[in-house]
């Protein structure tokens, strides 16, 4: 129920937004199949009990919200040191790496290293998330992105 309470404001403000959806049950050439759909269509599938393997991944909500209505949130000071997004903003790349992920219990992001070996902070609004943390010296365990494992 807590997750649904969070989805409704997103639907109201950004329902017409085209988002990239990953299907965690289907691989194509070693990667999960992706498609574009409207945010409100994705939420409607979930409400009907369909699309359990669909995962809204890498949605740049901060850029969408900033363009639509001004600054959407303020980064807390202890997270303000952000060399990767600072570079993106300083060079006006048109994008950054402030992503939102929304999924159901059966969805996930495969084992990976963040872009350019940077770091990210995550916050769960509802539900639980299992993390596997691997020490840097054991990073060789990470499977290549094209792996079918």
């Amino acid at each position: 129920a807590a997750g649904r309470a969070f989805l409704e404001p997103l639907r109201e403000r950004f329902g017409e937004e085209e988002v990239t959806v990953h299907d965690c049950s289907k691989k194509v050439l070693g990667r999960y199949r992706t498609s574009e759909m409207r945010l409100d269509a994705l939420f409607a599938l979930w409400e009907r009990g369909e699309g359990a393997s669909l995962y809204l991944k890498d949605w740049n909500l901060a850029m969408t919200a900033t363009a639509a209505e001004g600054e959407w949130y303020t980064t807390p000071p202890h997270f303000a040191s952000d060399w990767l997004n600072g570079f993106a903003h300083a060079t006006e790349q048109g994008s950054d790496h402030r992503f939102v992920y929304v999924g159901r219990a059966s969805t996930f992001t495969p084992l990976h290293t963040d872009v350019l070996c940077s770091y990210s902070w995550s916050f769960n609004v509802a539900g639980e998330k299992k993390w596997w943390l691997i020490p840097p010296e054991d990073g060789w365990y990470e499977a290549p992105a094209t792996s079918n494992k």
Side-chain angles (χ1 to χ4, degrees):
R4 279 194 202 110
F6 175 70
L7 297 181
E8 194 52 38
L10 288 176
R11 181 197 323 259
E12 289 173 11
R13 292 171 78 178
F14 306 106
E16 296 179 3
E17 185 79 19
E18 287 285 322
V19 295
T20 302
V21 177
H22 295 242
D23 189 336
C24 293
S25 70
K26 297 185 174 145
K27 281 190 176 182
V28 176
L29 299 175
R31 297 187 178 270
Y32 291 97
R33 190 188 77 188
T34 62
S35 60
E36 298 290 319
M37 68 172 30
R38 283 176 43 146
L39 183 66
D40 55 4
L42 175 62
F43 290 175
L45 280 172
W46 289 342
E47 287 171 353
R48 291 193 307 266
E50 301 172 20
S53 64
L54 299 180
Y55 187 36
L56 170 59
K57 183 174 178 292
D58 298 333
W59 178 29
N60 198 320
L61 174 60
M63 294 292 286
T64 300
T66 299
E69 56 200 47
E71 197 63 32
W72 195 56
Y73 70 90
T74 302
T75 304
H78 46 282
F79 297 127
S81 175
D82 186 351
W83 63 268
L84 184 60
N85 289 321
F87 177 78
H89 296 163
T91 57
E92 298 180 6
Q93 291 184 10
S95 184
D96 61 22
H97 298 91
R98 296 178 292 169
F99 298 127
V100 171
Y101 301 83
V102 183
R104 300 191 51 181
S106 62
T107 61
F108 59 94
T109 299
L111 182 63
H112 67 281
T113 301
D114 284 347
V115 64
L116 297 175
C117 295
S118 62
Y119 58 88
S120 62
W121 293 97
S122 294
F123 172 74
N124 272 22
V125 174
E128 297 177 8
K129 183 171 187 72
K130 181 189 291 188
W131 287 89
W132 292 2
L133 302 177
I134 299 173
E137 63 271 14
D138 292 335
W140 61 271
Y141 287 119
E142 183 179 337
T146 56
S147 170
N148 283 318
K149 294 181 181 178

